[in-house]
Amino acid sequence: MAIATLTVDLVARLGKMEQELNRATQLSEKAAKRIDESFAVLKGSLGTVFAGVTVGSAWQAFIGDTAKLGEEISRLSQVSNASVEEFQRMAYGAKSAGVEQDKFADILKDVNDKFGEFSITGGGELKDFFDTVAKKAGVTAEAFKNLSGPQALQLYYNTLEKAGVSQQQATFFMEALGNDASKLIPLLKNGGAGFKKMADEAERLGAVMDAKAIASA
């Protein structure tokens, strides 16, 4: 996945630079020159990646790795009970908090499993949450029905906030939901403002592959 990761990063950087070039006519000649120089550096970096590899084989590797990346995103999205776009936007934010996308998918899988367990048995690891925090906040298990993994995670933290739990209690309940889930607290605060900000950035940088592109890959 090393080439895939680098490819996504380079595409994101190219997208951002292209936007800057589109505004170049409004910049001074000196500023526009800096952007051109940045493009030259980026092209050199891309050349280094494929140094010693024929153009044909490099392109084949690029296409093959893009296909693998699309397949991986599809798999993780299904595990997370989220659309491919929703998962990528959220995973982009999670990475900024030190949670890689495969780990983030594991957390969302735990969210789905534990809420599913409680809805069927009325017990499990979320029983304390519903018996204490959710009851205090006036939130029932019904509110979590038909939500995607990311939506259920956000409502879970919103409920903790509404109940007025302490930071220590919030950490405890988040870790009860999934290992390392507490790392996502800064992004989940204030209705998920952090996640929304990072999702906008991901879209702006072109770091989100849509479902059609993934299917084509």
Side-chain angles (χ1 to χ4, degrees):
M1 295 300 293
I3 296 178
T5 301
L6 181 55
T7 298
V8 172
D9 288 343
L10 290 175
V11 170
R13 289 167 62 190
L14 278 172
K16 186 175 182 180
M17 289 181 181
E18 183 178 10
Q19 291 177 0
E20 291 179 357
L21 276 178
N22 289 335
R23 295 195 298 270
T25 54
Q26 301 175 13
L27 299 174
S28 67
E29 183 178 358
K30 185 176 181 180
K33 183 178 179 182
R34 287 200 192 99
I35 296 175
D36 288 336
E37 290 172 348
S38 296
F39 256 111
V41 171
L42 184 56
K43 288 176 182 177
S45 298
L46 188 57
T48 300
V49 172
F50 296 115
V53 184
T54 64
V55 173
S57 61
W59 182 247
Q60 289 175 349
F62 175 83
I63 294 299
D65 211 58
T66 299
K68 290 179 182 178
L69 178 62
E71 182 180 358
E72 182 71 0
I73 290 173
S74 294
R75 184 184 68 80
L76 294 177
S77 299
Q78 290 176 356
V79 168
S80 304
N81 186 29
S83 69
V84 291
E85 293 93 345
E86 182 182 28
F87 174 76
Q88 288 176 89
R89 288 192 289 266
M90 295 283 284
Y92 183 89
K95 187 173 182 179
S96 72
V99 179
E100 296 297 328
Q101 68 174 13
D102 55 345
K103 180 60 182 177
F104 183 59
D106 285 340
I107 291 173
L108 294 180
K109 180 179 181 299
D110 286 340
V111 169
N112 296 322
D113 289 346
K114 290 175 183 179
F115 277 105
E117 179 184 21
F118 183 83
S119 67
I120 294 172
T121 68
E125 294 182 59
L126 292 184
K127 180 172 173 53
D128 285 343
F129 168 77
F130 280 108
D131 287 348
T132 56
V133 177
K135 184 176 293 186
K136 183 178 180 180
V139 176
T140 66
E142 187 69 22
F144 290 88
K145 274 191 174 182
N146 302 319
L147 296 183
S148 67
Q151 290 171 338
L153 175 64
Q154 186 62 59
L155 179 56
Y156 182 84
Y157 186 77
N158 291 350
T159 304
L160 295 177
E161 281 190 322
K162 189 175 181 180
V165 301
S166 67
Q167 181 64 40
Q168 291 82 1
Q169 290 172 325
T171 298
F172 169 80
F173 279 109
M174 288 297 293
E175 288 297 311
L177 189 62
N179 187 36
D180 283 344
S182 61
K183 291 182 178 180
L184 303 174
I185 289 178
L187 297 166
L188 292 165
K189 286 182 176 180
N190 302 316
F195 267 123
K196 291 173 184 175
K197 179 181 178 180
M198 296 305 295
D200 289 342
E201 180 177 304
E203 292 282 2
R204 187 171 65 251
L205 296 179
V208 178
M209 297 174 65
D210 62 29
K212 184 177 180 181
I214 289 177
S216 297

